[in-house]
């Protein structure tokens, strides 16, 4: 018998080790592939759920005029590109309002809205570009003001003891943003959290 075909006792452990390494590597590759497929599936499901949440429960008939009345935010006659949305939530609703003004008029408008001791501030801690709040301005085809930095000013206001000329009209607490997106042109953004029990739906109340 040819001794060259026999495996010596010294060679056997080495071959077993190499075989075990090959099996372990193959197993690890399979596990990694399964994890990758699972992660992709989870991301896909989460993305789908997020898209549904972003697009769900927006009331029809929430016109800028209706939203203006609900918030107590007057829309100047010179305002253009007026947009509004009203989203129903499980715990609270959210109202959105936006319009564009010449920057000088926007400054005068916000000046009439703010109390004398209050100033709008810059967005020093912006959200990342992928930021998607539950009630997003992207539903209105706009960028989220929280992600903007250059030319953006913001303030939060509540109607309590607000006796400024425009502030007297305010009916709900709002987050107000003014963004000069091009020289001489400013977009006003307004977001308000609303108790659903105190606000009629746009469809039932009309514009």
């Amino acid at each position: 018998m040819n001794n060259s075909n026999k495996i010596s006792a010294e060679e056997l452990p080495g071959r077993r080790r190499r075989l075990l390494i090959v099996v372990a590597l193959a197993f690890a590759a399979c596990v990694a592939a399964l994890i990758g497929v699972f992660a992709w599936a989870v991301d896909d499901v989460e993305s789908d759920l997020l898209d549904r949440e972003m697009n769900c429960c927006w009331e029809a008939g929430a016109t800028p005029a209706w939203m203006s009345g609900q918030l107590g935010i007057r829309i100047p006659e010179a305002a253009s590109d007026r947009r509004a949305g009203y989203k129903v939530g499980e715990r609270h609703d959210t109202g959105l309002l936006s319009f564009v003004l010449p920057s000088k008029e926007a400054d005068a408008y916000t000046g009439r809205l703010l109390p004398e001791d209050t100033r709008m501030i810059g967005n020093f801690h912006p959200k990342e570009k992928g930021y998607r709040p539950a009630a997003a301005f992207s539903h209105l085809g706009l960028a989220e003001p929280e992600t903007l930095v250059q030319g953006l000013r913001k303030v939060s206001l509540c109607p309590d003891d607000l006796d400024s000329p425009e502030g007297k009209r305010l009916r709900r607490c709002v987050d107000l943003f003014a963004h000069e997106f091009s020289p001489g042109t400013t977009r006003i953004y307004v977001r308000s959290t609303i108790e659903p029990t105190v606000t009629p739906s746009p469809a039932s109340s009309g514009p």
Side-chain angles (χ1 to χ4, degrees):
M1 182 178 292
N2 189 349
N3 291 333
S4 62
N5 294 328
K6 292 183 179 181
I7 300 174
S8 68
E10 291 79 5
E11 292 176 327
L12 188 58
R15 287 202 169 197
R16 286 178 176 173
R17 282 196 299 271
R18 288 193 293 273
L19 179 60
L20 288 174
I21 290 172
V22 171
V23 171
L25 290 174
F27 179 75
C30 290
V31 170
L34 288 173
I35 290 174
V37 171
F38 179 75
W40 174 84
V42 169
D43 288 343
D44 190 55
V45 170
E46 288 181 348
S47 177
D48 185 56
L49 290 174
L50 184 58
D51 287 339
R52 290 183 184 180
E53 182 182 354
M54 293 297 102
N55 296 319
C56 173
C57 311
W58 291 93
E59 286 276 0
T63 65
W66 182 86
M67 201 72 257
S68 169
Q70 291 300 317
L71 301 181
I73 292 287
R74 185 182 66 87
I75 302 177
E77 292 184 4
S80 61
D81 195 14
R82 306 178 183 196
R83 309 187 194 190
Y86 186 83
K87 183 170 184 176
V88 177
E90 292 184 4
R91 301 181 61 183
H92 60 260
D93 300 345
T94 304
L96 303 179
L97 179 65
S98 180
F99 49 87
V100 172
L101 287 169
S103 293
K104 288 185 178 180
E105 186 161 345
D107 291 342
Y109 173 77
T110 56
R112 293 192 302 270
L113 182 58
L114 303 181
E116 291 184 3
D117 59 347
T118 301
R119 296 291 181 270
M120 301 183 79
I121 63 172
N123 191 14
F124 303 119
H125 303 285
K127 301 289 186 181
E128 296 181 359
K129 291 299 182 182
Y131 173 65
R132 298 176 71 180
F137 276 97
S138 60
H139 180 74
L140 307 181
L142 300 172
E144 304 308 321
E146 293 91 343
T147 67
L148 304 173
V149 178
Q150 186 172 358
L152 186 107
R153 295 170 296 135
K154 63 179 183 176
V155 70
S156 295
L157 299 171
C158 284
D160 298 343
D161 301 322
L162 193 60
D163 58 358
S164 57
E166 292 288 344
K168 292 177 180 179
R169 305 169 181 266
L170 195 64
R171 298 181 60 188
R172 310 189 191 282
C173 293
V174 299
D175 292 324
L176 177 72
F177 305 85
H179 180 225
E180 189 174 26
F181 60 91
S182 66
T185 307
T186 295
R187 176 174 289 281
I188 301 295
Y189 295 82
V190 185
R191 178 185 281 117
S192 180
T193 298
I194 301 171
E195 293 295 331
T197 56
V198 298
T199 303
S201 77
S204 64
S205 61

